[in-house]
Amino acid sequence: MQSISKFIFTKILGWKVTGSFPENLKKYVVIGAPHTSWKDFPVAILARNTTGVPINYIAKASLFKPPFGFIFRKLGGTPVNRTKSTNLVDTIAAIFDSKEEFRLALSPEGTRQYTEKWKTGFYYIAKGANVPIVMFAFDFKNKEIKVAPPYHLTDSIEKDFEHFLEFYKDIKGAKPELFNNKNLL
């Protein structure tokens, strides 16, 4: 699967990965932005498969319904019911605690639409699980997935979000007008 994904990703689509997902770290939260198009998902899956580092994700439950739901599960996905009031942050932090190896990818925007602020669930999941955050960017302008080194959170959410903003500020997603790269918190 890795060689097929790499061929499609690099040779057919013309993308590349800059940086790398840490293989020696067994647990971390991966945040991917800007999430502005349906194209982000297949690009992310191909990039992940190209690197060979197992990374899971969560997505809205409606994607996991028949007839195609099995595909999202096979690709490492877990459905999330976003209509119920559940403590998803604590649930996912507990998953990190229960597993020897777990990497979870999330979209900090939580939608493909323009949003004034990022959701903070990814941040509190990483805090609760005491794991670093690895940022990756969908740079459609340069057909590049940019991966940052692991970032260990501080005691200041403002400082941490400034760090995230610095990484993403010049990134052009598939639909740049849908990405708020001015203020994330």
Side-chain angles (χ1 to χ4, degrees):
M1 181 64 94
Q2 186 175 4
S3 58
I4 293 169
S5 292
K6 188 172 188 172
F7 178 78
I8 293 169
F9 186 70
T10 60
K11 302 297 184 201
I12 294 176
L13 299 178
W15 281 72
K16 65 182 177 182
V17 176
T18 304
S20 60
F21 293 106
E23 295 180 41
N24 59 332
L25 269 178
K26 300 295 183 195
K27 297 180 183 184
Y28 50 89
V29 171
V30 178
I31 57 171
H35 182 35
T36 61
S37 169
W38 65 269
K39 298 173 192 173
D40 300 338
F41 180 74
V43 167
I45 293 297
L46 286 168
R48 178 200 65 186
N49 291 352
T50 296
T51 67
V53 178
I55 301 171
N56 295 324
Y57 65 92
I58 59 174
K60 59 184 175 182
S62 62
L63 293 175
F64 294 86
K65 292 182 179 176
F68 302 110
F70 75 96
I71 295 171
F72 291 102
R73 279 187 175 76
K74 189 76 172 159
L75 293 172
T78 300
V80 179
N81 186 345
R82 298 189 309 183
T83 59
K84 285 185 179 175
S85 177
T86 59
N87 196 336
L88 193 58
V89 169
D90 289 343
T91 301
I92 295 173
I95 292 170
F96 271 99
D97 288 342
S98 71
K99 295 191 179 274
E100 189 174 315
E101 183 173 334
F102 190 64
R103 299 170 190 95
L104 179 66
L106 300 163
S107 163
E109 298 138 302
T111 181
R112 292 185 307 262
Q113 304 305 312
Y114 181 86
T115 180
E116 288 292 328
K117 308 285 182 198
W118 277 7
K119 306 254 185 221
T120 55
F122 77 91
Y123 182 84
Y124 290 109
I125 289 168
K127 275 280 210 199
N130 196 27
V131 297
I133 290 177
V134 174
M135 297 174 286
F136 82 92
F138 296 102
D139 186 351
F140 275 79
K141 180 180 176 186
N142 299 304
K143 287 193 161 186
E144 184 176 8
I145 293 290
K146 295 180 178 180
V147 183
Y151 177 74
H152 296 272
L153 299 174
T154 69
D155 289 330
S156 169
I157 190 171
E158 291 83 10
K159 180 180 174 190
D160 294 334
F161 270 70
E162 285 174 19
H163 179 81
F164 304 146
L165 180 61
E166 183 62 30
F167 178 74
Y168 289 106
K169 72 178 180 181
D170 295 323
I171 301 298
K172 301 290 183 219
K175 297 179 181 177
E177 70 278 8
L178 297 179
F179 183 53
N180 175 9
N181 61 354
K182 306 284 186 269
N183 184 15
L184 307 178
L185 186 61

